[in-house]
Amino acid sequence: MPTRIFTPIDLRTGTFYELKDLFKPSIPYTERLSEIVGRQIKTDPQYSYVFPDAYKGIAPDQPFYVDGEALYLYFAPYEIAPYSAGFPTFRIPYAEIMGLINTEGAFWRSYH
């Protein structure tokens, strides 16, 4: 099985970040992200390959990566789609989740 591992790290401090580090403390970020990805699966034809009823939501330790404009959540082959789909990846622009993001946190500041 292929694997994909992104390691969010602050190169200045050597700190490794987890998905929860992007969000404000005590915010139910997994619920909101689950809703967004679920909506993308239902409404965006590019995700028509996802197995019916396979998507159960976003886990606190969901694999992810970030860039300057968005958060990307991804799944392993066979997890929610056929192997031929590769790593199903969902792009969530920061503008859509800005109210959840801890803009004063070290993770956010490490790349903004």
Side-chain angles (χ1 to χ4, degrees), residues 2 4 15-16 19 24 40 55 58 65 70 72 76-77 89 95:
R4 178 179 281 181
T15 303
F16 289 88
L19 183 58
K24 295 175 184 174
Q40 288 180 10
Y55 174 70
I58 299 301
Y65 61 95
Y72 299 84
T89 303

Side-chain angles (χ1 to χ4, degrees), residues 6 23 38 53 65 76 80 102 104:
F6 291 92
F23 300 98
D53 302 322
Y65 61 95
I80 63 169
N102 183 2
E104 300 300 318

Side-chain angles (χ1 to χ4, degrees), residues 17-25 27 29 33 64-67 70-73 92 94 97-112:
Y17 295 110
E18 298 177 25
L19 183 58
K20 68 180 181 178
D21 297 325
L22 183 60
F23 300 98
K24 295 175 184 174
I27 292 285
Y29 67 92
L33 297 177
F64 74 100
Y65 61 95
V66 296
D67 67 15
L71 166 66
Y72 299 84
L73 303 170
I92 302 174
Y94 295 130
I97 56 172
M98 192 52 77
L100 307 176
I101 293 175
N102 183 2
T103 57
E104 300 300 318
F107 187 9
W108 179 263
R109 289 191 332 250
S110 72
Y111 66 97
H112 278 93

Side-chain angles (χ1 to χ4, degrees), residues 33-46:
L33 297 177
S34 294
E35 292 170 8
I36 293 168
V37 171
R39 185 177 65 244
Q40 288 180 10
I41 290 170
K42 288 179 184 173
T43 62
D44 192 332
Q46 75 172 322

